[in-house]
Amino acid sequence: QVQLVESGGGLVQAGGSLRLSCVASGRTFGTNSNVMGWFRRAPGKEREFVAAISWSGGAIRYADSAKGRLTISRDNAKNTVYLQMNSLKPEDTAVYYCATTFRNPGILETNWGQYEHWGQGTQVTVSS
């Protein structure tokens, strides 16, 4: 079983920055074993894809809303994935979740249904 724990959320003013972290445990993550992703759910909206990264970090995919402002990265030695968020906007307000999938490590899935393991989420609130 895999456990994912997010941290780093909080309240920030528009234009500010936050860095989210997600630590994975409970399973050995072998070479090229999994894809890590970030999703978010804003109030009254459905969960949406934010970014995904391959095991090596050589392949990355972003939602259009994230491009140029959000950066996903991972440190496999620490079993941790990060989401650096800059130039934050009020519309970025949401609960942010990290997730991982072992099904097809060569595919950066944007569909949340393809991810088997999820964290509990961390709240990000951006004030105007």
Side-chain angles (χ1 to χ4, degrees):
Q1 187 69 12
V2 175
Q3 293 81 42
L4 302 174
V5 179
E6 303 98 334
S7 62
L11 173 64
V12 63
Q13 290 187 334
S17 298
L18 284 174
R19 188 174 85 153
L20 306 184
S21 300
C22 173
V23 180
S25 62
R27 174 171 174 170
T28 299
F29 295 90
T31 302
N32 295 325
S33 62
N34 68 325
V35 168
M36 299 292 297
W38 285 97
F39 291 76
R40 68 186 183 186
R41 177 178 283 166
K45 296 186 177 181
E46 295 186 352
R47 184 171 10 186
E48 65 174 0
F49 169 77
V50 175
I53 186 169
S54 64
W55 186 89
S56 69
I60 289 175
R61 189 170 184 178
Y62 293 103
D64 288 343
S65 59
K67 291 178 181 177
R69 300 186 303 118
L70 279 58
T71 303
I72 189 172
S73 61
R74 65 189 290 173
D75 183 341
N76 291 326
K78 297 180 179 179
N79 283 341
T80 301
V81 63
Y82 305 97
L83 185 67
Q84 176 67 43
M85 303 191 294
N86 298 327
S87 302
L88 283 164
K89 305 174 182 179
E91 50 263 45
D92 294 316
T93 295
V95 178
Y96 283 72
Y97 300 90
C98 75
T100 187
T101 176
F102 295 85
R103 292 174 181 167
N104 295 297
I107 300 175
L108 301 181
E109 293 284 356
T110 62
N111 182 346
W112 65 265
Q114 296 300 315
Y115 288 77
E116 304 97 90
H117 308 285
W118 291 82
Q120 81 290 349
T122 185
Q123 176 70 48
V124 171
T125 303
V126 184
S127 63
S128 57

